[in-house]
Amino acid sequence: MDPWVLRPARRRDRSFIGALATEAFASYGEYGPLLLDWFGTSGVEATIAEDEAGPAGLTVVAFVADPESAGGWVADLLAIAVALRARRRGLGRRLLEAAVARAVHAARRWPVRGVRLSVAEDNLAARALFEDAGFEYTGREEGFYPRGQRALHMRRPV
């Protein structure tokens, strides 16, 4: 049985979001303030995963103009994170599947063409998760995370 409940993030989740950003992304940079800014931005959807012990995971998705498709949009997976206590239990996969499903649902009403994301070159676990979910590298490997890791860009159609 799936122990995870996914729900929209609420204002009361701000402390969890900040703490999870520190826990999950510390090796890449100071992402707590950025995630909280995204969370408060109109048009950005944040989803919390929780179980009986409380919040354990997060996705942040924004729907933006697609630079690869004139007039099209793309779901930009800005962040996906799982708390240490919940790792290796399938939650990352569940969160990713839900984010892709949200993009597919949006594509029924709007010209959403795909889902894109960036992942650190040395984040092998995340890269494997994204590859297994049908994401492919775009070849646009420019950019670096604040602590110097190279950013790889991935995409999949909806």
Side-chain angles (χ1 to χ4, degrees):
M1 180 152 91
D2 184 5
W4 308 112
V5 174
L6 303 186
R7 62 167 176 81
R10 299 186 268 270
R11 292 191 63 71
R12 72 174 191 230
D13 295 312
R14 291 179 64 82
S15 62
F16 167 73
I17 292 168
L20 181 61
T22 299
E23 180 181 293
F25 302 125
S27 63
Y28 303 106
E30 188 68 33
Y31 279 94
L34 182 59
L35 270 148
L36 290 171
D37 282 348
W38 284 336
F39 172 63
T41 302
S42 179
V44 175
E45 298 178 2
T47 299
I48 298 288
E50 60 188 3
D51 62 6
E52 68 285 343
L58 167 76
T59 57
V60 180
V61 177
F63 290 89
V64 298
D66 185 353
E68 297 179 20
S69 173
W73 294 9
V74 64
D76 196 349
L77 181 57
L78 300 172
I80 182 170
V82 175
L84 287 172
R85 73 166 183 86
R87 291 189 183 160
R88 304 196 59 78
R89 294 176 46 200
L91 181 54
R93 185 169 311 283
R94 173 81 189 282
L95 284 164
L96 182 59
E97 288 169 354
V100 170
R102 174 65 183 105
V104 169
H105 178 75
R108 294 182 190 136
R109 296 183 59 199
W110 299 294
V112 177
R113 308 282 192 245
V115 181
R116 72 178 182 187
L117 57 86
S118 295
V119 61
E121 183 176 41
D122 65 353
N123 191 343
L124 301 180
R127 290 176 59 188
L129 173 67
F130 301 143
E131 290 167 6
D132 287 348
F135 284 82
E136 296 180 353
Y137 297 96
T138 65
R140 289 186 328 109
E141 277 98 17
E142 74 270 354
F144 292 86
Y145 287 89
R147 297 238 160 82
Q149 300 92 340
R150 190 164 69 125
L152 305 178
H153 303 283
M154 301 181 81
R155 185 181 175 109
R156 66 162 279 174
V158 293

